[in-house]
Amino acid sequence: MSALSALLSRFSVALYTIVALVAFAANSVLCRMALASNQYTIPLIDPSSFTAIRLTAGALVLWLLMLLRSSKADVSQSDTKNLTHHGSVFAAVLLFIYAVTFSYAYVLLDTATGALILFAAVQISMMLISYFQGHRLSLLEWLGALLAFAGFGYLVLPGVSAPSIIGLVLMAVSGCAWGGYTLLGKQSRKPLFDTGYNFIRTLPLVLVMIVVVWWLPVFSASDAVNHFTLSPTGILLAILSGGAASGVGYALWYQALRGLTSTHAAVLQLTVPVIAALGGVLFLDEVISIHLSISASIIFLGIALVILAKPKSVRLNKRTD
């Protein structure tokens, strides 16, 4: 590879990474814009409709991207016509759980708090899964894990700045689901097709969700229509979240991962809550509290220690060489 080619390759990785991270943060901002409610504003769309439109738009955009990619010589007919060759049902279930709990959590959380909980849960869940798979933590990793959990503890301390417990639990579940989904896709050879087919597999689950939400009022003797809130702006925000921030964003992120180490990818994702917080301030007039800032600093420090610590297995291998 020539020096010019290497430079262009690094530039492409950097560009893909920046755009993908902004897209991740945009998901939080768009979702909160659509679902925010207080004494001054009402939601533009309900969480189930937002989730349904987001996943459907993501599936459509990724399907179109797969069709464009299929014109290239390295893509076989089975890549675009055989569903069983790409992704998995389990991955699609995790993707659906991530999306639906993400939407319902943002009814109760502001943009910065939601993004912080989401990506902290992603990193912690991936760390715990690795631990149960046999990876043993070093002293520095244990210290980082304890700091991260302490940051969460401080975040939910009783007080005017403490987030909704229900919202926190929902977003933590969303983060754990995304962490599991990320680990499943780590060995993907064709991420675009795996991601696209996983989105397509969520569509039956979306249909079930809509039916369940529609019939719930029947059992509570209330009006079913009240469970659905749709406005042109809310629908547009959901389409942007699914088609651009999710569909294109995920495709660019998986492309960027080819030029990033796992450590770099993990550390870079920690910038998303910061970008999302800035988006909340700019577009939603949200205020970043001191309580949240201190909690975020503790959590970031803890996760950074875990990510940057040298695993025990690496140190032991060096000693035996």
Side-chain angles (χ1 to χ4, degrees):
M1 181 182 290
S2 66
L4 179 59
S5 298
L7 180 62
L8 290 174
S9 177
R10 288 195 295 270
F11 175 78
S12 297
V13 169
L15 180 61
Y16 292 149
T17 302
I18 292 170
V19 175
L21 293 174
V22 171
F24 289 164
N27 264 325
S28 292
V29 176
L30 291 169
C31 188
R32 183 60 181 162
M33 288 175 68
L35 299 171
S37 63
N38 52 44
Q39 63 269 36
Y40 305 110
T41 61
I42 59 173
L44 299 171
I45 191 171
D46 64 278
S48 59
S49 297
F50 184 90
T51 303
I53 295 171
R54 177 188 178 188
L55 290 174
T56 302
L60 178 60
V61 168
L62 287 165
W63 177 69
L64 292 174
L65 290 173
M66 287 189 293
L67 287 181
L68 290 174
R69 181 66 190 275
S70 66
S71 62
K72 295 189 176 182
D74 62 336
V75 178
S76 65
Q77 289 290 327
S78 64
D79 284 324
T80 55
K81 294 184 178 180
N82 196 330
L83 181 70
T84 61
H85 285 186
H86 300 286
S88 68
V89 173
F90 184 48
V93 170
L94 288 177
L95 178 61
F96 175 78
I97 292 173
Y98 150 75
V100 70
T101 52
F102 180 89
S103 296
Y104 277 93
Y106 262 126
V107 174
L108 303 167
L109 301 172
D110 61 38
T111 308
T113 303
L116 171 64
I117 296 170
L118 175 70
F119 282 92
V122 168
Q123 300 299 334
I124 292 172
S125 63
M126 291 175 69
M127 179 189 70
L128 289 175
I129 292 172
S130 297
Y131 177 81
F132 288 118
Q133 288 178 340
H135 170 71
R136 291 299 173 257
L137 304 183
S138 66
L139 179 61
L140 193 59
E141 287 174 309
W142 275 116
L143 177 61
L146 291 174
L147 269 177
F149 283 115
F152 261 121
Y154 178 75
L155 182 64
V156 299
L157 278 177
V160 293
S161 298
S164 160
I165 296 299
I166 296 176
L168 184 147
V169 171
L170 285 171
M171 193 61 84
V173 171
S174 182
C176 291
W178 182 254
Y181 181 80
T182 300
L183 288 176
L184 285 177
K186 199 172 181 181
Q187 304 301 322
S188 174
R189 292 186 177 181
K190 294 184 177 178
L192 173 61
F193 289 91
D194 289 337
T195 305
Y197 282 117
N198 285 334
F199 264 80
I200 291 170
R201 285 188 181 94
T202 66
L203 298 184
L205 296 173
V206 166
L207 189 59
V208 171
M209 175 190 66
I210 294 297
V211 171
V212 169
V213 172
W214 180 267
W215 282 101
L216 276 177
V218 173
F219 300 104
S220 61
S222 62
D223 187 3
V225 178
N226 291 335
H227 279 251
F228 290 94
T229 302
L230 290 172
S231 69
T233 304
I235 293 171
L236 176 61
L237 291 171
I239 291 174
L240 289 174
S241 176
S246 297
V248 176
Y250 297 170
L252 291 176
W253 176 244
Y254 282 127
Q255 186 69 31
L257 286 175
R258 296 184 178 185
L260 298 172
T261 65
S262 297
T263 299
H264 289 162
V267 172
L268 285 167
Q269 286 189 84
L270 296 181
T271 64
V272 175
V274 179
I275 301 171
L278 293 175
V281 171
L282 292 173
F283 299 106
L284 293 163
D285 295 324
E286 294 178 346
V287 178
I288 302 175
S289 66
I290 296 176
H291 183 96
L292 177 63
S293 299
I294 295 174
S295 175
S297 299
I298 297 171
I299 293 172
F300 285 165
L301 176 59
I303 292 175
L305 288 176
V306 172
I307 293 171
L308 298 175
K310 191 170 292 186
K312 273 186 175 181
S313 56
V314 174
R315 295 199 310 272
L316 289 173
N317 287 340
K318 284 189 174 181
R319 289 175 186 172
T320 56
D321 286 345

